[in-house]
Amino acid sequence: MNNRFAAVGQWEGSLRRFQCLDRLALKLIALVCMTIDHTAVLLVSGSWYWPMRYIGRVAFPIYCFLLVEGYAHTRSRGNYLARLLVFFLISEVPFDLAFRHQWFNPFYQNVMLTLAIGLVTVWGADRCPRWLEGYTGRPLPRWGEALLTAVIAVAGCCAGELFMTDYAGGGVLMILAFYRLRRHPICLTAVLAFLMYWFFGLVELPGLLALIPIFLYNGRPGKRLPGAAGRYGFYAYYPIHLTVLVLISCAIAG
């Protein structure tokens, strides 16, 4: 397997003894933080609002990391991309009802599309150098690979902005940062902090706390529910929990 996809435990040997979280644990942490965030948006006001929103910032970086893990381990990257796009379409109405109070809003797309664009960006950064090496018959120099990655990063960022997705271009670049820098925790932390502040401001910086469970990841998949529940359950939770929160919000509002 490509060294870029080595377990996070290989970053620093001193962390290995503490790595107790598998992929399922990371998914559950992200799911809980996301639910807290969306609950605050739709149901909470007053003193609890911002603390819950800050907790919610932890979710997206973990999902970015899990996307790169998924890219490394999936049997079919095409099917992986198709799943993200299908659940993007399924989630769009609940998302627009939750955050725009409309059945459809063309100017703000849900995070599944951000993840799909990020997956394509990572795929391009991974495969394009190999395609060029096969075409030219010789490996790219480091500066050439860096330049190619920069071009792909700009393209992915522009796609996120063009389609007006949740987290937009900044989210796509965060995904690419996890792909390129996952074995360099200090650089990764610095780049993520810069991207969060540059694209989203200080409010997003609590998301750096997501690196704590990510650094404690042991590279194992963890338990999985059998059948369709295990394959699609975490995808389906996104539109389902938004729908439930919208219905509760409507009931409270009368």
Side-chain angles (χ1 to χ4, degrees), residues 152-175:
I152 292 169
V154 170
C157 180
C158 290
E161 296 290 336
L162 179 65
F163 288 103
M164 294 174 282
T165 67
D166 195 16
Y167 284 94
V172 175
L173 293 180
M174 287 170 63
I175 293 168

Side-chain angles (χ1 to χ4, degrees), residues 6-8 11 23 26 59-71 80 115 174-175 178-179 182 188 210-211 213-215 217 219:
V8 176
W11 283 351
R23 208 174 307 155
L26 289 184
F60 183 70
I62 296 178
Y63 282 126
C64 292
F65 173 80
L66 289 171
L67 182 84
V68 175
E69 276 290 290
Y71 176 82
Y80 190 19
L115 296 176
M174 287 170 63
I175 293 168
F178 274 108
Y179 165 69
R182 57 182 292 148
L188 176 62
L211 293 175
I214 289 172
F215 290 163
Y217 172 60

Side-chain angles (χ1 to χ4, degrees), residues 58-159:
V58 171
F60 183 70
I62 296 178
Y63 282 126
C64 292
F65 173 80
L66 289 171
L67 182 84
V68 175
E69 276 290 290
Y71 176 82
H73 294 101
T74 185
R75 295 179 181 177
S76 172
R77 289 161 181 168
N79 288 343
Y80 190 19
L81 177 61
R83 284 197 298 272
L84 289 171
L85 292 174
V86 167
F87 279 95
F88 153 65
L89 295 173
I90 293 172
S91 303
E92 191 60 18
V93 169
F95 178 82
D96 287 337
L97 287 172
F99 298 106
R100 287 296 182 266
H101 310 294
Q102 298 174 274
W103 286 97
F104 176 69
N105 186 310
F107 302 108
Y108 189 31
Q109 321 308 325
N110 71 75
V111 76
M112 289 290 185
L113 186 56
T114 313
L115 296 176
I117 294 172
L119 179 63
V120 173
T121 304
V122 167
W123 202 345
D126 182 36
R127 298 301 302 178
C128 284
R130 301 183 195 181
W131 291 335
L132 286 177
E133 288 173 15
Y135 180 75
T136 62
R138 54 187 177 182
L140 286 175
R142 286 197 172 184
W143 66 266
E145 185 172 350
L147 179 61
L148 182 59
T149 300
V151 171
I152 292 169
V154 170
C157 180
C158 290

